[in-house]
Amino acid sequence: MVSGGSDSEDDGIAKNNFPTFKMPPKMTDYKWEVGTYFAMKQDFIDAVRTYAIHSGRPIKFKKNDKVRVRAVCKPPCQWNAFCARLPDQETWQLRKVWKGKHTCPRDFKVKLLSSKWLGTKLKPCVRENPKLRITDIMDKTQEKWKTSVTMTKAIRARTMAFDAVDGSFR
Ligand SMILES: [Zn+2]
């Protein structure tokens, strides 16, 4: 737990010992540690999103504003994580996280899987195969992340990947 408002020297030293989050290749069993820094809010959002997709959890963002973000799992599962922006800084810090295990069943329709997230993953595929079909995207997503994706999301993801790849050629 981070103590707020203390300017003591010890506190300053302790603060420097917290790691800054770097996305590991696999978020499936990621150990969330209170105190972890996030260079910006989006890093925390991306971390939670990838964690939800990799581990198949029905997580959603309950609060998301300029100073705080809370991610919660589907009740009765009590997993939750709370991240807040440091005063007068861009940096965010994980303040609270549920240390218990998920009690939710594996989710095969992860809501946090966004077309933007999928689009980023599709970039290499689109570069290799510009004719990548929507059904292939849906199949691959199912195979790779064990979650289904709607056709609408798959179409949007492909468009985003195309635009990104096309843009980098210009
Ligand atoms: Zn859960």
Side-chain angles (χ1 to χ4, degrees):
M1 195 52 225
V2 178
S3 57
S6 168
D7 287 328
S8 77
E9 215 169 278
D10 288 348
D11 201 37
I13 291 164
K15 269 181 191 169
N16 291 333
N17 287 338
F18 293 122
T20 299
F21 178 78
K22 255 192 85 187
M23 188 83 80
K26 266 197 169 188
M27 284 292 282
T28 315
D29 297 311
Y30 181 70
K31 300 275 176 280
W32 299 89
E33 291 295 341
V34 165
T36 305
Y37 290 121
F38 292 83
M40 56 179 122
K41 185 171 90 168
Q42 197 56 42
D43 286 1
F44 176 70
I45 302 268
D46 288 345
V48 171
R49 194 182 297 282
T50 306
Y51 170 72
I53 296 162
H54 285 181
S55 58
R57 299 295 176 192
I59 296 169
K60 61 180 184 179
F61 294 108
K62 203 176 177 188
K63 197 176 269 298
N64 184 353
D65 60 31
K66 282 180 181 163
V67 289
R68 61 216 157 137
V69 178
R70 184 186 295 282
V72 297
C73 204
K74 193 177 180 179
C77 179
Q78 295 196 61
W79 185 92
N80 70 87
F82 179 70
C83 197
R85 189 165 69 93
L86 297 178
D88 305 319
Q89 284 189 52
E90 283 300 304
T91 310
W92 287 60
Q93 190 175 37
L94 185 64
R95 295 298 180 87
K96 278 179 197 162
V97 69
W98 173 254
K99 281 295 177 189
K101 285 204 163 95
H102 281 275
T103 54
C104 53
R106 203 188 192 289
D107 189 10
F108 293 99
K109 268 187 192 171
V110 179
K111 288 211 176 65
L112 282 191
L113 195 153
S114 63
S115 41
K116 193 178 166 197
W117 187 91
L118 188 56
T120 311
K121 304 287 167 197
L122 286 177
K123 271 193 248 173
C125 306
V126 164
R127 216 171 267 141
E128 268 177 36
N129 176 14
K131 291 196 175 116
L132 190 66
R133 294 186 310 173
I134 295 299
T135 45
D136 288 342
I137 293 172
M138 294 171 82
D139 288 350
K140 269 188 183 175
T141 306
Q142 182 74 56
E143 195 181 301
K144 190 154 188 203
W145 296 293
K146 313 272 181 293
T147 176
S148 63
V149 62
T150 60
M151 190 174 267
T152 318
K153 268 188 194 173
I155 291 170
R156 264 196 231 130
R158 189 176 68 168
T159 308
M160 277 179 189
F162 267 127
D163 288 350
V165 169
D166 197 33
S168 66
F169 282 141
R170 274 175 215 149

